Amino acid sequence: MNILSSFKPVSAKLIVIFCLLFSFFPYSSSSQEHLPFNQSEEYHLMMGERLYHGLISTGGDNPSCISCHAKFTDDKINWNPSAMEIVMAADTLSAEQFKSAVNSPADGFIAKVHKGYQLNDEQLSQIRLYLKSLGTEGVGEKPKSYPQLLLFLLVGSLMALAIVDLLFTKKIRYRAIHILVILAGITVHLKMAYSEASELGRSQGYMPDQPIKFSHQVHAGDNKIDCMYCHYNAENGKSAGIPGPGLCMNCHVIVREGSRSGKSEIAKLVKHFEEGSDIEWVRVHNLPDHVFFSHAQHVNAGKLDCTACHGAVDEMHILKQENDLSMGWCLDCHRRTNVQFANDYYSIYDKYHNELSEGVRDSIKAVDIGANDCMKCHY
């Protein structure tokens, strides 16, 4: 019996119609697939990235977007808004507002930087498309470098080759060369191990990004603002204190534009002040929990200058931890520093007063005062 004869004519027609539909389906997808590449969204996104990175000339000698609005921070301050700040700002602007912000900004400082920019509508649309992708995907992670690790592995490899050649291959005749390489490698490894171990828990050179680009060089250096004006608690408290937006606005109620950053950074401060919110500054100097340190004791009683611990902050755009703040570093300072003993606080130390009056001592070091307390743990 013929199998095809068992199908009704209607069923055969339906099968033919379904086959036609399925054969047509792949070609009836979005019209994007039929567009030339230079009209596709992928192309415009690629062009936007190249424009942002300066790989495509926009005419003239104008700097690229990324040269000012970098994705990642460096150890030198960048006064311009970061790439992600530009992303957030662009997201709130219409096409015309974005065009005006790039080609003819109202901010006097930015107008100088953007002078000569005349990007056309297509270029602006492509850059904005790229910024939108950054807002969705982020800027990724900053490329890392591992110079210490590479040195460690390189020295280890040389040692391994020296040992293999000494015991097995014996390509190099003189054993002294093998021994010299092995000893040098062990020395380098031990030195690196000691250096890394001694730095555990210490943050010398730490200089985090802050929510507002605040420069000590501009405030304490160029404008000669006294440390105690902002850190008013240092003379009488354990902590030096961090000023709130209200104190900053004593000056910035008038000063609304910076010579380096324009209005962008000061606008953040004004926003916090108007909203009544605190600025979430990132702490730079942080001692272990078991350490008691009082600014009042050092600044008021000890008459130490701020630079003794914090370094030349009046020369720092980005505040960093100048010293390692280790116990050894503190004790070295205590051994060098003479106590201002003509102070009521030290009247309880009869022994030292008597030794000074009898000529047994000519001065009292800071380490003498706290020696007994230190030795309770470090004996």
Side-chain angles (χ1 to χ4, degrees), residues 361-375:
R361 289 175 176 267
D362 58 2
S363 65
I364 304 296
K365 301 294 184 183
V367 71
D368 297 326
I369 301 297
N372 292 333
D373 293 331
C374 294
M375 293 309 292

Side-chain angles (χ1 to χ4, degrees), residues 125-377:
S125 176
Q126 290 168 342
I127 290 175
R128 199 164 186 189
L129 183 64
Y130 175 64
L131 291 175
K132 185 178 179 181
S133 73
L134 286 183
T136 304
E137 301 171 6
V139 295
E141 292 187 5
K142 186 176 183 178
K144 297 179 181 179
S145 59
Y146 303 95
Q148 287 289 94
L149 178 60
L150 291 176
L151 177 61
F152 186 88
L153 294 175
L154 176 61
V155 172
S157 300
L158 290 174
M159 290 171 60
L161 288 173
I163 292 171
V164 169
D165 189 66
L166 178 65
L167 298 178
F168 303 106
T169 57
K170 300 180 181 180
K171 297 290 184 182
I172 298 175
R173 179 185 296 179
Y174 304 104
R175 291 187 177 184
I177 296 177
H178 301 95
I179 295 171
L180 184 63
V181 170
I182 294 168
L183 289 177
I186 292 173
T187 303
V188 171
H189 276 193
L190 288 175
K191 185 177 179 181
M192 292 176 70
Y194 172 78
S195 176
E196 294 296 321
S198 63
E199 290 177 6
L200 284 174
R202 299 178 189 173
S203 305
Q204 187 174 16
Y206 179 54
M207 47 193 305
D209 296 330
Q210 299 290 354
I212 297 177
K213 292 169 185 173
F214 177 89
S215 167
H216 278 79
Q217 180 175 320
V218 169
H219 291 77
D222 299 344
N223 294 306
K224 309 299 181 186
I225 299 175
D226 188 76
C227 299
M228 297 304 165
Y229 180 76
C230 298
H231 303 287
Y232 49 84
N233 202 43
E235 288 188 316
N236 302 303
K238 180 177 181 290
S239 172
I242 297 177
L247 188 144
C248 301
M249 288 301 291
N250 288 343
C251 296
H252 287 290
V253 70
I254 298 173
V255 181
R256 292 300 182 98
E257 184 171 353
S259 59
R260 295 176 174 87
S261 61
K263 297 178 180 177
S264 60
E265 297 304 314
I266 297 176
K268 298 176 187 176
L269 165 65
V270 174
K271 183 180 179 182
H272 278 284
F273 177 73
E274 292 176 345
E275 293 178 350
S277 58
D278 291 326
I279 303 169
E280 296 183 2
W281 299 106
V282 179
R283 185 165 186 162
V284 177
H285 301 84
N286 196 21
L287 293 172
D289 292 341
H290 67 274
V291 175
F292 175 84
F293 176 89
S294 170
H295 275 82
Q297 183 63 21
H298 290 76
V299 176
N300 197 343
K303 306 301 179 186
L304 281 183
D305 190 78
C306 302
T307 58
C309 296
H310 296 292
V313 294
D314 58 344
E315 298 175 3
M316 299 180 190
H317 280 309
I318 305 177
L319 184 66
K320 70 173 180 179
Q321 183 176 311
E322 184 72 14
N323 299 293
D324 65 5
L325 306 185
S326 64
M327 174 167 282
W329 177 81
C330 293
L331 288 175
D332 285 342
C333 181
H334 279 224
R335 292 187 185 102
R336 294 192 307 268
T337 306
N338 289 329
V339 175
Q340 306 297 320
F341 227 57
N343 186 318
D344 290 340
Y345 178 84
Y346 297 113
S347 61
I348 60 172
Y349 293 95
D350 293 331
K351 172 187 174 183
Y352 295 131
H353 281 286
N354 292 334
E355 289 180 354
L356 283 172
S357 62
E358 294 171 0
V360 178
R361 289 175 176 267
D362 58 2
S363 65
I364 304 296
K365 301 294 184 183
V367 71
D368 297 326
I369 301 297
N372 292 333
D373 293 331
C374 294
M375 293 309 292
K376 288 177 182 177
C377 297

Side-chain angles (χ1 to χ4, degrees), residues 65-133:
C65 304
I66 200 168
S67 64
C68 294
H69 309 296
K71 292 182 179 181
F72 306 107
T73 56
D74 203 351
D75 56 357
K76 294 181 180 178
I77 195 166
N78 180 1
W79 293 104
N80 304 290
S82 67
M84 291 309 295
E85 288 177 308
I86 295 297
V87 167
M88 291 185 286
D91 193 46
T92 63
L93 302 176
S94 66
E96 282 302 313
Q97 289 173 328
F98 184 72
K99 181 177 181 179
S100 176
V102 174
N103 288 341
S104 53
D107 187 330
F109 176 80
I110 301 176
K112 294 178 184 177
V113 179
H114 281 229
K115 185 178 180 180
Y117 278 97
Q118 287 301 320
L119 278 73
N120 59 43
D121 291 344
E122 183 181 39
Q123 290 173 327
L124 290 166
S125 176
Q126 290 168 342
I127 290 175
R128 199 164 186 189
L129 183 64
Y130 175 64
L131 291 175
K132 185 178 179 181
S133 73

